[in-house]
Amino acid sequence: MINRFENIIIQTISRLLIPPIQLYALYVIAHGHYSPGGGFQGGCILGASFILMVIAYDIKETKRMISEKINTIFISLGVIIYSGIGAVCLILGADYLDYGILNKIFSVSPAKARALGTFGVEIGVGITVMAVMVSIFLNLVSGGEHEEAQE
Amino acid sequence: MKFFALIAVIVTGLLLIYGTMDMPDWGATDSPPNTHVSPRYIEKSIEETATPNVVTSLLADYRGYDTLGETTVIFTAGIVCILLLRRYR
C-alpha cells in the first residue's frame, strides 16, 4: 500500500523529471531504427515515468493522468496495432507481416515501406509494454484495490 | 525413490554435457549460424529494409512473428495480472 506523503523535494524533482523521461522514451521508440532502442525499451521507460509518479505522488494523482480504463484499452491497442499492420499487408496481397507491400499506400520504395512498417510495429509494442508495466505495478502495489491504505 | 531420481538427473546431465561436445566453439566464425543467415542479414539489411540498425530490422521485420509472439506474451501477462489481482467492490 502506498500512503500519500508530502515531501516537497521529491515531488518537485519528480515533476521536473517526468516530462524529460517521457520525451526520452518517445525518442528511444522513434529512434530505434538508428540507435539501440525500440518498442520494448522505450515502453519500459515510458511506464517507469508513470511508476515514478505513483511513488512520488499517489495512485489517485496518477490515475488522473492515465485512467484505468484508458490503460486497459492501451494494453490491447498495442497488440491490435501490431497484428493490424500484419493484416493490412495480408489484405494488400502479400504475406502476413510482409511490410514491403505497404508501398501501395505510402508511395515510397519497398525498402522505405519496410522501415515504416517496422516503425508502426515498434509503436504498437511500446504502447502495450507501457500499459502493462503501469497496470502490473498498480495492481501489485495496492493489492488490487487501486487506492491508498485507509489509515 | 529419491535415489533413482538422483541417478536419472545425473545421467541426463551427463548426456547433455556429452551433447555439448559437438557444439561449435563460442563465437566460431565457421559455425552454421555464422555462415548461413547472419552474413545474409548483415549484408542485405540496409538495402532491403532501409534500417541502419540490424537488430531492429531483424527483430521487427525478418522475425516479425517472433516479436508478435513476445508482445502477445506481455499482453497476456498484463491481462492475467488484472484478472488475478484486481478487486472490484
Side-chain angles (χ1 to χ4, degrees):
Chain A
M1 300 289 173
I2 289 189
N3 296 305
R4 186 182 175 95
F5 63 98
E6 302 286 344
N7 189 325
I8 187 112
I9 298 173
I10 292 176
Q11 294 191 347
T12 309
I13 295 293
S14 305
R15 202 160 58 215
L16 286 176
L17 272 182
I18 285 169
I21 290 174
Q22 291 178 339
L23 202 61
Y24 180 67
L26 296 181
Y27 160 77
V28 167
I29 293 178
H31 215 251
H33 283 66
Y34 301 96
S35 62
F40 290 101
Q41 298 89 332
C44 272
I45 299 172
L46 202 54
S49 73
F50 288 110
I51 289 174
L52 176 63
M53 203 186 291
V54 178
I55 292 172
Y57 292 86
D58 61 354
I59 292 176
K60 201 191 287 177
E61 200 76 18
T62 311
K63 286 175 82 173
R64 267 181 45 214
M65 299 289 159
I66 178 163
S67 72
E68 191 185 2
K69 191 178 170 189
I70 297 284
N71 199 40
T72 314
I73 290 174
F74 273 175
I75 293 181
S76 322
L77 183 69
V79 184
I80 289 175
I81 289 176
Y82 199 138
S83 48
I85 289 174
V88 166
C89 302
L90 200 64
I91 290 167
L92 289 175
D95 295 335
Y96 191 67
L97 291 173
D98 187 5
Y99 316 122
I101 200 73
L102 288 176
N103 65 352
K104 284 186 179 173
I105 298 179
F106 293 116
S107 70
V108 289
S109 69
K112 294 275 186 196
R114 286 190 163 274
L116 277 175
T118 310
F119 180 57
V121 160
E122 299 277 7
I123 290 174
V125 172
I127 289 174
T128 293
V129 170
M130 181 273 288
V132 168
M133 294 276 293
V134 175
S135 165
I136 289 180
F137 180 79
L138 281 182
N139 276 322
L140 284 180
V141 85
S142 68
E145 303 280 352
H146 280 216
E147 58 195 23
E148 311 96 275
Q150 308 289 335
E151 285 179 45
Chain B
M1 207 58 213
K2 273 183 179 173
F3 180 72
F4 288 111
L6 184 67
I7 294 291
V9 166
I10 288 175
V11 168
T12 313
L14 285 179
L15 277 176
L16 285 175
I17 290 173
Y18 175 70
T20 61
M21 300 289 184
D22 278 341
M23 299 275 282
D25 289 339
W26 195 80
T29 50
D30 56 345
S31 62
N34 285 345
T35 52
H36 273 283
V37 286
S38 298
R40 166 74 172 68
Y41 288 149
I42 292 169
E43 284 162 10
K44 298 276 182 141
S45 170
I46 189 89
E47 84 182 58
E48 279 183 353
T49 65
T51 304
N53 189 353
V54 185
V55 177
T56 301
S57 71
L58 254 177
L59 197 77
D61 199 332
Y62 290 111
R63 305 279 164 87
Y65 272 111
D66 187 14
T67 312
L68 178 60
E70 283 171 27
T71 314
T72 315
V73 165
I74 290 176
F75 164 77
T76 315
I79 295 295
V80 166
C81 264
I82 291 175
L83 287 177
L84 287 180
L85 294 174
R86 186 79 175 95
R87 266 187 279 171
Y88 296 98
R89 281 184 297 179

